[in-house]
Amino acid sequence: MGGHGGPDGFGILFSLLHTAIWIGALLLLAWILWRWLGPRLRSGGTPLFFHTPAPPSPMERLRLRYAAGEIDETTFEQMRERLQATYQSGGRGSAPPQGQPLNYQGDEGIC
């Protein structure tokens, strides 16, 4: 008798309802933040948490340029031979020289 809810116990009911509303509001806020921040975090994530594909190799970039029609077949073959020569002269599994774009052809002017 006499407590917060009176003799019929409505105080406990209102207390539980109040707690449930607050828990629901916090869950709703968490869901909204996840929906809003989730894509932003995933797109700018670090490789530790999100997989980032390796950049294409010079040979793959050359093939893509040829497939896109940026270079003709003769240019493709010349550049492919130069890339293969670079890999062979540098040793097995070595990377192409740094600092030069893939379409660099020296003084011949082939682009």
Side-chain angles (χ1 to χ4, degrees):
M1 308 222 159
H4 293 292
D8 50 10
F10 281 113
I12 294 173
L13 179 66
F14 286 124
S15 177
L16 290 174
L17 183 62
H18 183 258
T19 303
I21 289 173
W22 273 108
I23 290 174
L26 290 175
L27 288 174
L28 180 64
L29 179 64
W31 179 79
I32 290 170
L33 285 174
W34 177 252
R35 297 285 294 177
W36 182 61
L37 289 176
R40 289 166 180 77
L41 292 174
R42 285 188 291 272
S43 65
T46 61
L48 179 63
F49 298 108
F50 303 102
H51 174 70
T52 55
S57 69
M59 188 64 75
E60 183 62 26
R61 291 188 347 225
L62 179 62
R63 288 185 181 118
L64 290 172
R65 290 184 63 200
Y66 179 62
E70 293 179 19
I71 55 175
D72 61 1
E73 184 177 358
T74 306
T75 305
F76 171 77
E77 290 299 326
Q78 291 173 349
M79 293 171 77
R80 183 184 58 79
E81 288 172 7
R82 285 194 181 204
L83 277 174
Q84 287 177 341
T86 300
Y87 282 115
Q88 290 171 356
S89 67
R92 186 177 171 144
S94 66
Q98 296 293 322
Q100 295 177 350
L102 182 61
N103 61 354
Y104 177 77
Q105 294 294 318
D107 294 330
E108 297 173 2
I110 299 173
C111 293

